[in-house]
Each structure stands twice: as structure tokens, then as C-alpha cells.
Amino acid sequence: MNFPAGFRWGVATSAYQIEGAAALDGRGPSIWDTFAAVPGAVANGDTGDVAADHYHRWAEDVRLLVDLGVDAYRFSVSWSRILPEGRGRVEQRGLDFYRRLVDTLRDNGIEPFVTLYHWDLPQALEDRGGWRVRDTALRFADYSAIVHDALADVVSKWTTLNEPYCSSVVGYAEGRHAPGAREGHGALAAAHHLLVGHGLAVEAMRANGVPGQEFGIVLNQSPTVPVSDSPADVAAATRQDVLLRRQFTDPLFGGTYPEEMTAMYGELTDFSFRHDGDLAVIGQPLDYVGLNYYYRLHVADAPHREPDPAKRTAHDIGVDTTRLPDVPRTGMGWPVEPVGITTALSDLSARHPQLPPIYVTENGCVYPDTEDLQDTDRIAFLEGHIAAALAAGVDLRGYFCWSLLDNFEWAHGYKHRFGLVHVDYATQQRTPRASFHWYRDFVARARG
Ligand code: FCB
């Protein structure tokens, strides 16, 4: 495989999934602390209270990155470590933690790719309406400017949001993620306010006036495939695509919302949360876009779950996504289809000719462990997907494997393990899997 000069190789993590130390050094609660405490919300009653204890073991984790030979590390900042109430008082100990981390990364020649929001909204802001209300977008811009101001001398890659689809639709419509809401209008408003927050945050960070800074956003891009060529299934796949991809990519890169949304949401269609001027804020030029890919969605037409349109949640759009093709599955049941990363990349790039350069910011999988941690399935998965990403022929600048370490996999808790490094949660001992050694050798060869 031939990679362009300067291609970045990395791994990714996120704050709530690895840090633990949930109440240390002044950190305030986030919606994930609250949600994980709700009986039945997370498998096995797991929480991020301790997670992979990265807050204490970060230096050991940086050594793992050095051993792995990556030149980039994508991680997220916990908003409620910096602003325990989401706004107002700044907690210096939170900023100091990330300063130590990025300084050590830099000392080792690893470039930090900072994500400002990986789903962990401060609970105090959720109590004031969360992403349903515009004020949260303004508070996100304030918080972003504070972190940027503190770290821009050593960080130049800034991602505002990770997967706003999940923060809005999975969190406020499906209720599978924090804050566990099941809403129609609220979830659509959340999606819009996340995008406004993204735009305002980029403006605020650019206003800090630091040269050489790059700003982007990370989007999950599951391509949708109709299960048949019947007009009903094709239309269902379009609705799914609007909900998951185009609700975000059209305003970000095309200056407009998909017109299909009006028909899709029937009596939910009160888009008064969209204000004049918002699209200009959302659609300002970016320096890169991050694409996360795990699987394709196979979509069939289906009845709405809730017959009354006024009571429907935003993801109840008359689709069935459970009819999977006869292909291998990962340990989470996700279909393994490397061609999906090719089309995810080429769709995005073809749809938006002015698209900035792309990074694959997450890609990875879960398989049951063998005793000797010889995860050959994961190696095959990664190798196949890296090749398929390259085959898209787009302006791809880097690849980040999800994840460095086993971690808190949201509503699944600790059961599903995505790490190149195995974590024994009883002792916090880290043990590299075979895929760790494979990735190290692969990256070394790719650099030539
Ligand atoms: C993505 C999330 C990431 C991780 C992977 C498996 O949607 O961004 O935090 O949980 O899925």
C-alpha cells in the first residue's frame, strides 16, 4: 500500500471512556456520570468512575503510544474537568492535567489531536436544557476558547465535536446514551445547537489569533444501503441517510439543511430553533474533517413505531436497520464490510467538492479475546479497512485506530473491548495484544 508523504498514523480515545477519577481535582459531574448511575442504563451497572484509570496512568499510556510508534494521538478533553458547572469558574487543575499530557506527547514527537466534546456535557448545563437550548452552544464556544487559549502553543489540531449524530439522536431521541431522553423536537433542536456550537467554537478559537491552527469536526458516516431496489426501501434508506449523515454534512459543507427533513418529521416540523444566520456560522470553512467508520446500515422500509406523528421520537422514521447481509460480524454483531469505508469517504468527497482534507479519526472492532491475546480477527479487520480507505482515492491525510486501550464502551459498559492494548480492570495492568505489534510494524513499513 502506498501512503502519501506526511500521512499521520494514530490511535484514538476519549475522556469519559478512559480517564476515571470522576470526582478528582474539582471535576464536576457530566451527563454520563448521571446516566451511568441510572439502573439499567448501562450493561452490568458499569460506570466511568474508574474506567482505565488514565487520569493516574497517563504517563504509562504515553509510553505505550511511543512503543506503538504512532505520530498522532486523538483524545478528548472533559468539559466538566475544566468548567465543573459547564460555565463560569475555571478549574486550573483540569487544564494542568491536559497540559502535562500534551507536553509529554510533544516531547515524544507525537502530535496531539484534541477533541473538545466527546459526549460528556456537564450535568449543570443539562439541568438548564442541555443541547435542546441555544445557550449550550454559546457555553461550548466559551469553553472551547478557554481550552484553546491554554494549549494552543502546543496543540494545533482542534476538533470541536465527535459524532454529533450520537450526541443528539442517540442521546435525545433513542435514549440509549446520556442524557437518555426520548424526544422528537428536542433531539432535532439538539442536533442543530450542536452544529451552531461547533461553528461558534471555531469562530471563538480563531479569534484567539494563533497562527498555524487547524479546526475540524468528526462525523460518523455509516453509508446506507437499501435492502432491495423497491422504491419503498430506497426511500427508507434516503431517510436514514438524512438522519445520520446529511442532517450534519449538508449544513456543514453545503450551506443548507436537507429539504427531506420537512416531510420526514410531519407534525414535529417546528424548526423555529433555526435562526437567520445560523447556516453561515455552521458552514464556515474548516481545515479538516474527521470521518469515523464502523459499519454500513442496511435499511428496509418499516412502519413507524409510534403511530401518532406528534409523539414520535426523531429516530422513528419508518426504517428497519436489523436486516443484515450474510457477511461476517464483529463481536458486537456489526457487519464487517470494508467497502463501507471506501464509500463513506468517496460519498462525502463527491457530494462536497470544497471538502477539506479528511482523516479517518476512528475505525476498529471488538472480538472475544483468546487467552494469549492473539487477536488475528482484529488484525484482518484493520488491514482490510486501511486498504479500503486508501482505495477511495480521496485527499486522506491520516488514520486513527479506535482504540489505544480497552475502555468504557458507553451503554455496553466494559464488556466490549476495542483496545490494541488489553486492560485488566481489576489491576489496571496493560498488555499489548498481537494487533498492537502488528500495527506498530505496519506503521513502520508504511513510513518506509
Ligand atoms: C464511536 C465513538 C467512540 C467509540 C466507538 C466504538 O461511535 O465515537 O467513542 O465508542 O464508537
Side-chain angles (χ1 to χ4, degrees), residues 131-133 168 184-195 247 271 273:
W131 289 108
R132 300 173 194 85
V133 301
S168 55
H185 185 265
L188 297 174
H192 181 69
H193 293 139
L194 278 153
L195 289 174
Q247 177 177 199
F271 290 120
F273 48 76

Side-chain angles (χ1 to χ4, degrees), residues 60-114:
E60 180 183 351
D61 293 340
V62 173
R63 281 197 296 279
L64 285 167
L65 293 167
V66 173
D67 289 347
L68 188 55
V70 290
D71 51 44
Y73 174 49
R74 173 174 179 247
F75 65 94
S76 80
V77 173
S78 157
W79 186 342
S80 53
R81 270 195 205 290
I82 310 301
L83 292 140
E85 291 90 40
R87 58 194 185 127
R89 188 176 62 84
V90 174
E91 176 51 78
Q92 187 59 40
R93 288 173 292 180
L95 288 172
D96 292 346
F97 170 71
Y98 295 106
R99 160 64 63 175
R100 287 192 293 275
L101 175 64
V102 293
D103 280 349
T104 309
L105 290 167
R106 283 285 186 203
D107 289 347
N108 285 283
I110 298 169
E111 177 164 30
F113 279 59
V114 172

Side-chain angles (χ1 to χ4, degrees), residues 167-251:
S167 313
S168 55
V169 178
V170 186
Y172 287 88
E174 286 185 53
R176 269 193 304 122
H177 283 178
R182 295 193 164 82
E183 300 175 17
H185 185 265
L188 297 174
H192 181 69
H193 293 139
L194 278 153
L195 289 174
V196 173
H198 152 80
L200 293 174
V202 171
E203 276 180 5
M205 292 188 284
R206 283 205 172 117
N208 279 342
V210 183
Q213 296 284 294
E214 295 186 31
F215 302 101
I217 187 167
V218 165
L219 304 168
N220 50 320
Q221 295 285 282
S222 291
T224 49
V225 192
V227 297
S228 82
D229 53 16
S230 80
D233 288 339
V234 171
T238 300
R239 290 195 296 277
Q240 181 64 43
D241 199 45
V242 165
L243 178 67
L244 192 144
R245 287 196 291 186
R246 288 180 45 215
Q247 177 177 199
F248 302 94
T249 52
D250 284 11

Side-chain angles (χ1 to χ4, degrees), residues 248-396:
F248 302 94
T249 52
D250 284 11
L252 282 164
F253 306 114
T256 169
Y257 268 107
E259 61 188 30
E260 291 90 339
M261 288 185 78
T262 312
M264 273 168 65
Y265 289 109
E267 283 160 43
L268 280 179
T269 311
D270 163 11
F271 290 120
S272 55
F273 48 76
R274 295 181 187 164
H275 294 183
D276 285 351
D278 283 357
L279 283 169
V281 171
I282 294 169
Q284 64 193 287
L286 294 179
D287 303 295
Y288 65 90
V289 55
L291 180 145
N292 293 352
Y293 174 79
Y294 290 94
Y295 51 78
R296 299 202 294 183
L297 282 169
H298 297 269
V299 185
D301 184 46
H304 292 280
R305 273 164 291 223
E306 165 58 57
D308 179 354
K311 291 194 200 141
R312 263 178 215 153
T313 58
H315 74 300
D316 187 1
I317 53 171
V319 298
D320 171 7
T321 56
T322 61
R323 283 165 51 182
L324 297 186
D326 188 16
V327 296
R329 315 257 185 100
T330 70
M332 282 175 87
W334 294 350
V336 179
E337 298 183 280
V339 66
I341 198 169
T342 314
T343 50
L345 287 161
S346 56
D347 286 0
L348 186 62
S349 164
R351 202 186 276 279
H352 302 290
Q354 303 303 322
L355 197 77
I358 312 177
Y359 292 88
V360 170
T361 36
E362 285 180 30
N363 177 232
C365 57
V366 160
Y367 286 103
D369 270 320
T370 55
E371 195 123 346
D372 56 2
L373 301 180
Q374 292 296 314
D375 53 344
T376 47
D377 287 338
R378 178 177 282 108
I379 293 171
F381 181 100
L382 295 175
E383 193 162 31
H385 282 74
I386 292 169
L390 207 58
V394 302
D395 182 2
L396 184 63

